[in-house]
């Protein structure tokens, strides 16, 4: 009797009550599932509209066990890629590969991100791994093509990217990367054909619109180039790289004020973008505003300390201000970084639209220096041991004299009289790596 008294009372439910309880549990589970799918769909919709930061925030707001899934990690990696944050993109793609090593879907973006970061060993290892997993996927051959493109072996890159479009004819990015490589070999008609195929497959593939604009720019069809750059911008409105290209074309058409407005808008999106800041300084110099140009160049110099074109532009600015001493110093530094004067004939603004496809396929007739060709978050290598004008607490004049004493008189004379440095106008788009997008 005591044992029976200690037992909990038994609640007997009718069949109707049991049915209602089961229905309530099913409804709660369905509501939870629908809420999850709704949040994933909202984040993916933002990604499809290239609202990269909004998409990243949306995916990261999901439960942690959902964030660690292959689809969500891959989507976050792509969002960082389209935002030109290649380091973050690579970090997430590494987690994607660790989550599902046998899935190669959309890993062509991973290889392009590695191309932008100039990680040769990692890119080579990825290419070998993907080809070992599947030879029937475009991503595998795109990785191999990007690997050869990084080595400047563009003919080999074209061979493997052609294989990519052969095994997967409906992959627009493979066509885009192939188009970039054709630009690198000066085969403009073939490049246009590749970009048009990419647009035929995916009309919202902004990289291909950018590629057509780049070809038309190189052919000096500036109005048509601006049209295609704007088509790309309508698809990806938050791309500071596309804004920079539009600004360059506007300046070529004589719309310098509009160009400055466009560059200012681009820098508001990405203040540390070296290409945009360099081009704005160039426009200011052309408009005879060297003091304003120096403000941008002062910010730009520590971002790309190895870029000879930056010192060239600083020298031109000081020359227009009548400060011969500082002008000669910067010309000498530019010559020291690029003794053959190659930088003066090559564009400084590297395109970075998106990996080997503009960026995808690392292509550039004469690739820009690493610092301007990479994501602003990429260091681009070790810093050059150049002495900045603000490195010490000494007076500016004394510091200048100290630096000049370290320069060889013959080199200084050569720098100050070199037509390749003082008179050569740098075309900021002429050598833009198509891979930039």
């Amino acid at each position: 009797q005591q044992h029976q008294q200690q037992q909990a009372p038994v609640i007997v439910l009718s069949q109707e009550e049991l049915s209602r309880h089961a229905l309530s549990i099913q409804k709660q589970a369905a509501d939870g599932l629908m809420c999850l799918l709704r949040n994933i769909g909202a984040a993916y919709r933002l990604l499809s509209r290239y609202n990269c930061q909004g998409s990243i925030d949306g995916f990261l707001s999901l439960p942690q066990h959902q964030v660690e899934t292959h689809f969500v990690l891959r989507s976050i990696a792509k969002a960082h890629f389209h935002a030109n944050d290649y380091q973050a993109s690579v970090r997430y793609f590494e987690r994607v590969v660790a989550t599902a090593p046998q899935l190669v879907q959309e890993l062509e973006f991973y290889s392009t991100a590695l191309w932008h970061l100039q990680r040769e060993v990692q890119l080579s290892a990825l290419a070998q791994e993907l080809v070992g997993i599947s030879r029937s996927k475009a991503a595998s051959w795109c990785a191999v093509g990007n690997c050869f493109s990084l080595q400047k072996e563009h003919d080999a890159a074209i061979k493997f990217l052609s294989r990519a479009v052969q095994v997967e004819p409906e992959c627009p990015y493979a066509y885009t990367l192939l188009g970039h490589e054709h630009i690198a070999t000066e085969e403009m008609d073939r490049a246009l054909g590749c970009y048009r195929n990419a647009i035929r497959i995916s009309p919202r593939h902004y990289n291909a619109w950018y590629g057509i604009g780049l070809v038309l720019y190189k052919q000096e069809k500036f109005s048509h180039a601006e049209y295609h750059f704007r088509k790309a911008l309508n698809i990806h409105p938050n791309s500071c790289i596309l804004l920079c290209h539009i600004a360059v074309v506007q300046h070529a058409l004589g719309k310098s004020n509009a160009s400055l407005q466009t560059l200012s808008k681009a820098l508001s999106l990405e203040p540390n973008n070296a290409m945009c800041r360099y081009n704005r300084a160039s426009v200011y110099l052309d408009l005879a505003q060297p003091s304003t140009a120096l403000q941008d160049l002062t910010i730009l110099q520590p971002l790309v300390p190895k870029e000879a074109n930056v010192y060239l532009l600083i020298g031109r600015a000081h020359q227009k201000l009548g400060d011969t001493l500082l002008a000669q110093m910067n010309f000498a530094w530019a010559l020291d970084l690029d003794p053959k004067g190659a930088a003066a004939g090559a564009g400084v603004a590297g395109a970075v639209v998106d990996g080997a496809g503009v960026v995808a396929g690392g292509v550039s007739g004469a690739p820009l220096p690493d610092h301007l060709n990479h994501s602003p978050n990429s260091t681009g290598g070790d810093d050059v041991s150049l002495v900045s004008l603000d490195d010490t607490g000494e007076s500016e004049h004394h510091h200048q004299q100290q630096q000049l004493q370290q320069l060889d008189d013959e080199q200084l004379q050569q720098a100050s009289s070199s037509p390749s440095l003082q008179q050569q106008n740098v075309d900021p788009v002429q050598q833009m790596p198509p891979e930039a997008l």
Side-chain angles (χ1 to χ4, degrees), residues 186-257:
E186 301 295 328
E187 297 173 298
M188 299 303 175
D189 290 338
R190 291 188 177 185
L192 283 174
C194 291
Y195 295 136
R196 287 167 179 159
N197 275 326
I199 293 172
R200 173 183 55 81
I201 298 168
S202 176
R204 285 183 52 79
H205 190 59
Y206 72 94
N207 314 73
W209 288 106
Y210 161 84
I212 293 177
L214 187 60
V215 170
L216 293 172
Y217 178 89
K218 289 177 176 292
Q219 294 175 343
E220 299 186 359
K221 299 176 181 178
F222 300 125
S223 297
H224 292 86
E226 182 181 7
Y227 169 80
H228 285 86
F229 285 146
R230 288 197 179 277
K231 289 282 288 186
L233 186 66
N234 289 338
I235 299 169
H236 190 351
N238 297 315
S239 172
C240 67
I241 301 301
L242 287 172
L243 287 169
C244 185
H245 283 69
I246 291 172
V248 170
V249 174
Q250 287 174 328
H251 186 52
L253 291 170
K255 307 174 185 177
S256 297
N257 291 329

Side-chain angles (χ1 to χ4, degrees), residues 278 286 312 316 343-346 419-428:
Y278 177 90
D286 290 342
L312 167 63
R316 288 177 54 198
S420 65
L421 289 179
Q422 293 195 41
Q423 298 174 9
Q424 178 77 37
N425 291 325
V426 176
D427 181 352

Side-chain angles (χ1 to χ4, degrees), residues 351-374:
V352 184
V353 177
D354 93 330
V358 153
V359 156
V363 176
S364 79
L368 298 173
D370 292 346
H371 304 286
L372 288 180
N373 191 33
H374 293 168

